[in-house]
Structures are given as C-alpha cells and as structure tokens.
C-alpha cells in the first residue's frame, strides 16, 4: 500500500462496531484512552443484531465438547441436524475441523468453561449495572433460564451441565415434568423435565449495542460508520496504516473486532485467524396460544426461545460456513416445527422477521483475545462463537487489562491468539 500523507492519527482504533468492538471501545475509553470505532455498516448490524439475547453464564461452554466425535461425523451428512457441517474441499474447513476434534476432551473443556464462565459472570453484573444506569432501554430482564427435555438423554445432558456449572458457582435446579409445566405454562405437557437456572438474564441484542454506544459516545468516544477497511500498510513489525473507504488511519493500537469477517481481514493482515461462521437463524413471531415468560432452551432441538415485550424470538441451528449468509427455508422450518412440537403455538405461525447471522467460531470454541505475535500494535478480540453478547463486557475488561497492563480478571492463557499462529 502506498503511504498517504492525509492519514488521520488516532490513539486507539477499533475495527468493528458489533457488541465486541463497542464493549472494548467503551472499556478503553472509560480507562482514559481516546477511541475511534469504525464499521463498514451501522453499529450492531452484523451478528450482534438478532441473536437470542441470552446473558446466561450457565451456557458458557465452548462448541467442541467431549463425546461429540461421532456426532460431528453425523452432522457432516445430515442437513437437518441442529449443527450442520457441509462437506466441501476447503483448507480452512479441514484445519478448523482438526482443531475442533483436538479440543473435544475433558481437560480442554474444563479450562474453557472456567474462563468463559468468569467473563460471562462479569458481563451479567455489567449489564445489570447498565440497566440501572439506563433503565428500560435495552430490554434487560433477569427471569432465569429453563432447559427442557422430552427424553431421558436430554434431561441427563442438562443435569450434567447443571453439575458442571454448580462447580463454577452458578446455581441450577433439577425439575420434573410437572414442575416444568407449572413454571412455564407455554410448554406442552408431557416433558420429562428440565433444569432451571434462576440467575440468568436476557436483553434485546441490538438495543444493548445501542445502549453501549450511547455510553461510549457520552464518554467522548467516536464511531464512524460506513467506513470499510480494505487494506493495511506495514513497516517492520508494525501496522502503519489502515486504509478504509473513508480515509486512511494510523494508530499505535488497532483492535480487531470484526466477528465472522475476521478470516478475510486476517488474510489482508498476513496472519492466521481460523474463524468460520456458525450460521444461525432467529425468527420473530407472535403466534403463541400461551406466550412464554422465561427464556427456554429446548435441549433436543437446540432451539432458544426468548420472550420479548410484544412477541417471541425463536433462534437456533448452527451451520458451519465461510462467508455464506444465504437463507435456507428448510433450516428455518426446523426451528418453527421444533418449537411447535414443544410449545402451545398457533398452526401456520406468522413470522414477522427472519434474521440470520454468522457466529464467529474458532476451532476450540474459545475467543482470541490478546496481542498479535506478528504485529506489535494489533490486538485481537474475535471469535466469540455462540456467546458474544454474554461475554462482551467480560472479554472487553480482559482485553483492556492486557492492553493497560492491569492484573487480568481471569486467566488470559486460553485466549492467546498465538495458539493459532495469529
Ligand atoms: C442465531 C444466533 C443466536 C445467538 N444467540 C446468542 C445469545 O443468546 N447470547 C450470546 O451471547 N450470543 C449469541 N449469539 C452469538 C452472538 O450474536 C455473536 O457472538 C456476537 O454478535 C459476535 O459479535 P461481534 O461483535 O464479534 O461480531 P459482529 O456483531 O458481527 O460485529 C462485527 C462488525 O465488524 C464489522 N466489519 C467487518 N468487516 C469490516 C471491515 N472490513 N471494515 C469495517 N468494519 C467491518 C461488521 O460490519 C460488524 O458490524 C447468537 C448468534 C446467532 C447467529
């Protein structure tokens, strides 16, 4: 890239105004840095737009888990499975799958759960305080979370998760079928049982991004939209310029928070960031005979049901893709049919809004948070898979701790970008 004389110098440049970029920008600005966030679109219009809105430390689990090996072979072959991996000749997919399989063991699971619950618990407290400072602005509600199952296997899986989370100080209660129905009448009778986690919360995802953006700007931070990064300039071990569609920027601290776009971005940066998209859908409907009052996880179908002020959000499915955001009716219908199987819904439900997003997934299910090995002024905060909303404030705090040389809120080692060469 040609050096430009008209470059704008900023103290700290964050690329990406999703929940992750804005959270770290907010944290750094609060800590005395002068931050500019740039985005190719508007804040929160990427994966942070229509997610299930769960802030649930009880789900602070990485994608790869022990015992998934045979299941993951099945996912390669079945486009109707809640997790689907379309077989295709791709070096990235091959490398990703190798890392995914290698992470499926008890030791890696426990190490991931320990740090992911730490940052998720931090986030829950952060959002609670944000809701106190800005009441009624982003739909924050602490109704707990109910996992429900029709079968013995699903209930056992929920119970194992409850036990694992209890070790991390997250309370949960095992319920039988009658107790589940009494707690949530929107569910059809006849379920085997479930687990209720009373401390979990949910919010409106886009409004949460906006609430953070407002605080960030009120503290003096700046957001520049419709500014797409397309190239970089380098000198020695430093990124000297960031070329965008609206000017060239220079900064001693560049934070990459580009979610699922991090892989193409990393190619430009000549670094390794093996992030694939975990495509999922969310559907907004009001076609409920009895509206649910709690967020519900339907274990067998992996469907997340979230009550909203005037409707309900049904979210689910994970299809591993590289930059493919096409919409598949079959996968959306699986969410609707699965929800109807468990809940009192009207026939032929009316869907008010269809959304799909690509969860930024690393092979081991742990985000990359830390400095680049190759570029001394590049810091990553990417790869938050299914947990971006609930881990954003915690990972921002950890990121700022590392940048500012403070004692980190949790063990930073599992997040180190250099495990992928980055
Ligand atoms: C169906 C579904 C349900 C989910 N449910 C939950 C949930 O309940 N709880 C939870 O915690 N998580 C959930 N998630 C995951 C969560 O949505 C993501 O982890 C999170 O949104 C990722 O945030 P991000 O800021 O990293 O990415 P994004 O929100 O995608 O932000 C990245 C930003 O980078 C910008 N960008 C990219 N390239 C460039 C460029 N070249 N130049 C400038 N800007 C660029 C994009 O425009 C975008 O705004 C869910 C996801 C899905 C799909």
């Amino acid at each position: 890239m040609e050096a430009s004389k008209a470059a704008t110098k900023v103290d700290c440049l964050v690329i990406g105004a999703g929940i992750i970029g804005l959270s770290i920008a907010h944290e750094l600005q609060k800590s005395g840095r002068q931050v500019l966030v740039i985005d190719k679109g508007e804040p929160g219009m990427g994966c942070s737009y229509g997610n299930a809105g769960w802030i649930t430390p009880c789900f602070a689990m990485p994608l790869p888990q022990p015992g998934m090996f045979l299941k993951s072979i099945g996912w390669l072959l079945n486009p109707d499975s809640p997790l689907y991996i379309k077989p295709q000749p791709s070096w990235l997919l091959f490398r990703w799958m190798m890392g995914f399989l290698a992470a499926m063991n008890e030791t890696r699971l426990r190490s991931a759960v320990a740090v992911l619950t730490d940052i998720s618990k931090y986030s829950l407290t952060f959002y609670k305080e944000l809701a106190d400072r800005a009441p009624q602005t982003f739909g924050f509600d602490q109704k707990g979370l109910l996992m429900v199952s029709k079968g013995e296997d699903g209930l056992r899986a929920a119970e194992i998760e409850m036990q694992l989370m209890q070790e991390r100080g997250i309370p949960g209660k095992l319920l039988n079928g009658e107790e589940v129905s009494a707690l949530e009448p929107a569910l059809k009778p006849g379920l085997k049982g479930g687990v209720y986690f009373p401390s979990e919360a949910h919010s409106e995802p886009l409004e949460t991004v906006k609430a953070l953006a407002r605080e960030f700007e009120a503290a003096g931070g700046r957001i520049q939209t419709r500014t797409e990064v397309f190239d970089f300039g380098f000198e020695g071990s430093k990124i000297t310029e960031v070329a965008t569609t609206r000017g060239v920027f220079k900064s001693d601290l560049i934070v990459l928070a580009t979610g699922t776009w991090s892989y193409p971005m990393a190619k430009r940066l000549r670094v390794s960031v093996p992030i694939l998209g975990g495509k999922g859908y969310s559907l907004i409907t009001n076609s409920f005979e009895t509206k649910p009052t709690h967020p519900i996880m339907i274990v067998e179908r992996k469907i997340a049901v979230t009550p909203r002020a005037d409707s309900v959000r049904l979210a689910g499915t994970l299809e591993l893709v590289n930059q493919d955001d096409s919409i598949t009716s079959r996968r959306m219908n699986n969410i609707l049919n699965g929800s109807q199987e468990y809940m009192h819904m009207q026939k032929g439900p009316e869907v008010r809004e269809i959304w799909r997003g690509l969860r930024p997934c690393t092979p081991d299910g742990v985000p990359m948070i830390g400095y680049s090995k190759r570029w001394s002024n590049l810091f990553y905060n990417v790869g938050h898979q299914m947990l971006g909303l609930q881990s954003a404030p915690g990972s921002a705090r950890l990121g700022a701790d590392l940048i500012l040389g403070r004692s980190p809120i949790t063990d930073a080692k599992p997040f180190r970008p250099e495990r992928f060469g980055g």
Side-chain angles (χ1 to χ4, degrees), residues 249-329:
F249 296 90
K250 287 175 178 289
S251 182
D252 287 335
L253 175 62
I254 298 162
V255 178
L256 194 71
T258 41
T260 194
W261 291 272
S262 301
Y263 177 67
M265 198 60 104
K267 276 181 147 179
R268 290 255 168 227
L269 283 162
R270 307 175 201 163
V271 289
S272 165
V273 176
I275 285 183
L276 279 174
K279 194 196 296 179
Y281 295 84
S282 79
L283 312 172
I284 293 182
T285 175
N286 212 3
S287 299
F288 273 79
E289 282 159 6
T290 312
K291 195 180 159 205
T293 51
H294 300 81
I296 302 166
M297 165 56 80
I298 302 175
V299 175
E300 285 90 359
R301 301 275 176 264
K302 297 201 187 306
I303 295 171
V305 180
T306 314
R308 308 177 74 227
D310 62 349
S311 56
V312 177
R313 195 189 300 270
L314 305 172
T317 84
L318 193 152
E319 179 187 354
L320 212 58
V321 296
N322 183 12
Q323 305 297 304
D324 164 16
D325 67 355
S326 57
I327 294 179
T328 310
S329 305

Side-chain angles (χ1 to χ4, degrees), residues 15-21 38-56 227-230 257-261 265 278-282 304 306 315-317 355-360 381-391:
I15 308 173
I19 191 73
I20 298 299
I38 55 174
D39 198 290
K40 65 188 173 81
E42 296 292 323
M45 297 308 283
C47 196
S48 304
Y49 173 81
N51 60 54
W54 289 8
I55 304 159
T56 48
T227 303
E228 181 170 351
V229 175
F230 63 88
T258 41
T260 194
W261 291 272
M265 198 60 104
K279 194 196 296 179
Y281 295 84
S282 79
T306 314
T317 84
W355 173 82
R356 85 308 208 176
L358 304 187
R359 305 168 179 94
N381 195 356
V382 294
H384 293 262
Q385 46 154 13
M386 310 91 80
L387 309 173
L389 173 67
Q390 76 173 52
S391 52

Side-chain angles (χ1 to χ4, degrees), residues 26 49 97 105 138 154 156 185 196 214 219 260 282 292 302 313 354 373 422:
H26 179 276
Y49 173 81
M97 282 302 289
N105 63 67
F138 66 104
R156 182 72 196 124
Y196 179 56
R214 278 192 296 273
T260 194
S282 79
K302 297 201 187 306
R313 195 189 300 270
I354 297 168
K373 207 165 97 181

Side-chain angles (χ1 to χ4, degrees), residues 9-15 24 28 33-36 238-239 242 250-256 371 376-380 399-400 403-404:
K9 175 97 176 73
V10 294
D11 174 33
C12 170
L13 182 71
V14 175
I15 308 173
I24 192 157
L28 288 168
R33 302 293 296 254
Q34 278 303 313
V35 185
L36 172 68
K238 210 172 160 196
I239 299 171
V242 179
K250 287 175 178 289
S251 182
D252 287 335
L253 175 62
I254 298 162
V255 178
L256 194 71
Y371 274 106
S376 60
N377 56 339
L378 177 66
F379 190 91
Y380 299 100
I403 290 167
L404 302 170

Side-chain angles (χ1 to χ4, degrees), residues 62-236:
L63 193 54
Q65 290 172 27
M68 265 189 170
F69 181 75
L70 285 177
K71 278 192 204 159
S72 59
I73 304 290
W75 300 333
L76 282 163
L77 308 170
N78 180 8
D80 284 326
S81 58
L83 290 132
Y84 175 49
I85 305 168
K86 192 176 175 180
Q88 52 193 294
S90 150
W91 168 242
L92 173 62
L93 179 62
F94 174 76
R95 191 178 158 209
W96 195 98
M97 282 302 289
M98 290 301 108
F100 183 62
L101 296 174
M104 283 178 192
N105 63 67
E106 194 67 24
T107 315
R108 297 279 292 272
L109 175 74
R110 284 186 175 272
S111 134
V113 167
V115 291
L116 293 175
T117 48
D118 279 354
I119 60 172
S120 299
K121 285 201 275 187
Y122 180 95
S123 299
L124 178 58
T125 307
F126 175 95
Y127 287 130
K128 237 192 269 183
E129 290 168 0
L130 181 62
D132 288 342
R133 294 195 295 273
Q136 317 285 329
T137 53
F138 66 104
F140 181 86
D141 203 351
Q142 205 166 9
K143 282 267 163 60
L145 176 107
L146 185 57
M147 284 177 88
V148 299
S149 170
K150 262 189 179 177
E152 194 63 59
D153 286 354
L155 185 58
R156 182 72 196 124
E159 192 182 355
I160 291 172
E161 185 156 334
M162 180 187 82
Q163 284 158 354
L164 189 62
M165 288 303 152
Q166 273 170 346
E167 290 172 24
R168 304 293 311 157
I170 297 162
K173 188 172 185 268
L174 194 62
L175 306 178
N176 63 30
E178 286 79 49
E179 290 168 322
V180 165
S181 300
L183 183 65
E184 186 48 87
L187 287 160
K188 286 183 177 168
L191 297 180
K192 187 84 192 160
V195 170
Y196 179 56
F197 294 97
S199 314
E200 319 305 89
H202 64 283
S203 70
E204 276 298 318
L206 180 62
E207 296 311 319
T208 310
V209 172
K210 288 184 179 170
L212 263 172
R214 278 192 296 273
E215 280 208 344
F216 168 63
E217 288 183 310
R222 288 185 306 131
I223 302 172
Q224 187 173 309
T225 57
R226 295 184 297 283
T227 303
E228 181 170 351
V229 175
F230 63 88
D231 207 356
F232 297 90
F234 310 100
E235 211 176 290

